[in-house]
């Protein structure tokens, strides 16, 4: 085989579908690949025919030019596929298996992996702990918004679906297992959501909606979602969430009181990250969400923070924010004895259990995030539509397998 089209970052605001070459079981030189990773042999890996691959809000940060991502980077870290080639050292994964790929690339051998902290694997990125497909500063591994992709450490990482026919029937739900569903669940779980909890979710994008659905699965008595986008808030209401339109209401405590009878929640989740906007028409104010969730979370509460924060943001509003320094009221969090949980989501801690929830019919994540299928050639428009704020989670179908 030789052909392989993929979605390529072409500079701020631009992506294109281009021929990127058929993958090998080796990491070749290319945009964003550290010298120490060039030529890395991956006989422990597989080649996947991509069945579904999703556009993520994290991808949008790069496409907007808000990171140091190099032009030519092949995008995409949410991957579900069929195994078409198996490396010499792979023992348990076989050709024909239908699998979900955790967005974290992890070796399974280092101390962090052995402690289930696969989001900070020590062996896959020479520049820093942790890695991902098609992402800036994450080791240079080629992204999966493509027809075919190479996945290393297959035996350790891949989640095999037990029945291919059943999996294809629920593929719009199962495609969310590579990132968005575990990420939303991680946010709710690390915030301490339990039966009866009242929860505030900052952001009604796909991750926020996934966190809201996850909070419901964990037994929350009330899930309140705040956002500036009324269309996305309507999507949150469609599966039973309360909502606050932050463009109309800047005093969140008052709105929470209207819903709960008191101005604070038990726990909160930040699903916005570093491109946060102030309430009303204030414009970008990157510390807004973190300060807000400290303000409206009870003493002793936990704050799950799966929203992305970066160390370099060329498009930031001030010099401090350009290097990831935000005006966070840490004194408030200290005084209220809050617990903060940050960082990438360790997908492998959750994806098998969430798969079972999907296959049993308990979890309805595709419905919650409004999964919308597009062709690979429609990816540039999908990025543009997603950036405009539509209440959709775009699922790319590179081979037309879902339409069949």
């Amino acid at each position: 085989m030789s052909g392989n089209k993929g979605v390529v970052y072409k500079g701020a605001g631009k992506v294109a579908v281009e021929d990127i070459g058929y993958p090998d079981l080796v990491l070749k030189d290319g945009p964003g690949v550290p010298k120490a990773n060039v030529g890395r042999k991956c006989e422990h890996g597989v080649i996947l025919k991509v069945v579904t691959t999703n556009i993520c809000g994290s991808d949008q940060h790069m496409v907007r030019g808000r990171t140091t991502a190099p032009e030519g980077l092949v995008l995409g870290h949410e991957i579900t596929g069929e195994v078409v080639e198996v490396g010499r050292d792979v023992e348990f994964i076989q050709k024909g298996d239908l699998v979900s790929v955790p967005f974290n690339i992890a070796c399974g051998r280092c101390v962090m992996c052995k402690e289930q902290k696969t989001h900070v694997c020590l062996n896959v990125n020479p520049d820093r702990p942790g890695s991902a497909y098609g992402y800036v500063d994450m080791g240079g591994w080629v992204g999966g918004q493509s027809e075919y992709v190479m996945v290393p450490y297959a035996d350790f990482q891949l989640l095999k679906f037990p029945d291919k026919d059943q999996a294809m029937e629920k593929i719009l739900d199962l495609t969310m297992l590579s990132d968005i569903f575990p990420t939303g669940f991680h946010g709710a779980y690390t915030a301490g959501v339990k039966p009866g909890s009242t929860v505030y979710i900052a952001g009604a994008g796909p991750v926020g909606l996934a966190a809201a659905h996850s909070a419901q699965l964990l037994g929350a008595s009330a899930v309140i979602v705040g956002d500036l986008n009324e269309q996305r808030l309507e999507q949150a209401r469609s599966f039973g969430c309360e909502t606050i339109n932050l463009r109309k209401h800047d005093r969140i405590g008052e709105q929470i009181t209207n819903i709960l009878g008191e101005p604070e929640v038990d726990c909160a989740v930040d699903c916005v990250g570093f491109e946060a906007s102030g309430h009303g028409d204030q414009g970008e104010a990157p510390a807004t969400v973190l300060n807000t969730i400290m303000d409206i979370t009870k003493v002793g509460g936990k704050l799950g923070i799966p929203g992305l924060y970066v160390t370099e943001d060329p498009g930031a509003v001030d010099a401090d924010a350009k290097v990831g320094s935000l005006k966070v009221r840490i004194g408030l969090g200290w005084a209220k004895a809050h617990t903060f949980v940050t960082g990438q989501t360790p997908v492998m801690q959750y994806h098998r259990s969430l798969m079972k929830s999907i296959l049993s019919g308990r979890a309805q994540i595709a419905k919650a995030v409004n999964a919308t299928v597009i062709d690979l050639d429609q990816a540039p428009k999908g990025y543009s539509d997603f950036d405009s704020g539509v209440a959709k989670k775009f699922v790319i179908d590179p081979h037309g397998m879902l339409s069949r």
Side-chain angles (χ1 to χ4, degrees):
M1 294 187 182
S2 58
N4 184 26
K5 293 193 299 182
V7 181
V8 179
Y9 173 60
K10 304 296 287 185
K14 302 175 186 176
V15 298
V17 178
E18 298 180 348
D19 188 351
I20 60 173
Y22 192 79
D24 294 320
L25 294 173
V26 61
L27 181 54
K28 299 177 181 178
D29 197 5
V33 182
K35 289 184 178 180
N37 252 3
V38 174
R40 186 166 179 162
K41 293 181 174 61
C42 297
E43 289 292 344
H44 43 62
V46 299
I47 307 296
L48 295 184
K49 177 181 179 180
V50 178
V51 174
T52 55
T53 177
N54 315 325
I55 297 176
C56 180
S58 298
D59 298 321
Q60 285 285 14
H61 293 306
M62 290 187 291
V63 172
R64 291 187 189 116
R66 297 299 296 266
T67 72
T68 56
E71 292 187 26
L73 186 73
V74 180
L75 301 171
H77 55 270
E78 301 190 17
I79 308 164
T80 304
E82 180 183 4
V83 178
V84 294
E85 183 179 336
V86 177
R88 178 192 60 211
D89 299 333
V90 176
E91 185 175 0
F92 303 111
I93 296 295
Q94 300 177 345
K95 283 186 180 181
D97 287 347
L98 187 61
V99 297
S100 176
V101 183
F103 80 87
N104 328 103
I105 301 172
C107 71
R109 298 156 167 81
C110 70
V111 171
M112 291 296 101
C113 284
K114 289 178 179 179
E115 293 180 356
Q116 292 191 314
K117 299 174 183 176
T118 54
H119 56 313
V120 283
C121 174
L122 302 177
N123 287 334
V124 290
N125 184 356
D127 293 338
R128 59 198 275 190
S131 191
Y133 302 88
Y135 211 84
V136 58
D137 296 332
M138 288 291 179
W141 299 89
V142 178
Q145 285 174 12
S146 56
E147 294 173 309
Y148 298 91
V149 68
M150 189 269 282
V151 174
Y153 304 104
D155 279 331
F156 176 63
Q157 294 193 104
L158 294 180
L159 176 66
K160 176 183 172 181
F161 300 138
D163 184 290
K164 289 179 70 174
D165 291 336
Q166 180 193 29
M168 287 304 296
E169 289 175 2
K170 292 183 174 287
I171 195 65
L172 285 182
D173 293 287
L174 294 171
T175 190
M176 307 302 167
L177 291 174
S178 56
D179 179 358
I180 181 178
F181 196 9
T183 294
F185 190 89
H186 178 67
Y189 181 78
T190 56
V193 179
K194 58 186 179 182
S197 293
T198 57
V199 189
Y200 177 75
I201 309 290
V207 170
L209 297 172
H213 184 47
S214 297
Q216 293 173 333
L217 292 173
L218 288 166
S221 61
V223 179
I224 305 169
V225 181
D227 200 285
L228 300 164
N229 184 319
E230 182 57 33
Q231 185 181 0
R232 289 181 168 182
L233 292 173
E234 183 179 350
Q235 179 63 26
R237 290 193 292 271
S238 74
F239 59 96
C241 299
E242 302 284 349
T243 62
I244 300 174
N245 188 323
L246 301 176
R247 197 169 297 283
K248 298 178 181 179
H249 305 287
D250 60 357
R251 296 181 180 178
I252 297 182
E254 290 183 3
Q255 300 306 309
I256 291 175
T257 299
N258 291 339
I259 297 168
L260 300 178
E262 55 183 343
E264 292 181 317
V265 292
D266 296 321
C267 43
V269 187
D270 171 7
C271 297
V272 179
F274 74 102
E275 285 194 70
S277 296
H279 304 154
D281 295 313
Q282 296 177 33
E284 189 166 318
T288 294
V289 172
L290 293 172
N291 290 328
T292 296
I293 61 176
M294 284 189 285
D295 187 50
I296 55 94
T297 300
K298 292 179 179 178
V299 169
K302 294 182 179 181
L303 311 177
I305 309 174
L308 174 67
Y309 289 88
V310 295
T311 56
E312 293 184 83
D313 175 9
V317 293
D318 56 49
D320 287 338
K322 286 183 178 180
V323 292
S325 295
L326 309 181
K327 294 181 180 180
V328 176
R329 296 181 62 196
I330 192 66
L332 175 61
W334 190 94
K336 296 180 79 171
H338 284 157
T339 298
F340 297 73
V341 180
T342 68
Q344 289 185 50
T345 296
V347 169
M348 292 180 68
Q349 288 189 22
Y350 307 108
H351 65 174
R352 188 173 299 277
S353 295
L354 294 177
M355 175 187 72
K356 292 179 180 179
S357 294
I358 289 170
L359 294 178
S360 71
R362 171 68 173 157
Q364 303 286 332
I365 186 64
K367 179 181 177 182
V369 302
N370 194 18
T372 303
V373 178
I374 60 175
D375 297 333
L376 183 62
D377 290 336
Q378 295 175 303
K381 186 177 187 303
Y383 269 96
S384 177
D385 289 349
F386 188 33
D387 196 43
S388 73
V390 296
K392 297 178 180 180
K393 174 68 172 178
F394 286 108
V395 177
I396 299 172
D397 176 13
H399 296 277
M401 298 178 70
L402 276 63
S403 60
R404 291 198 297 268

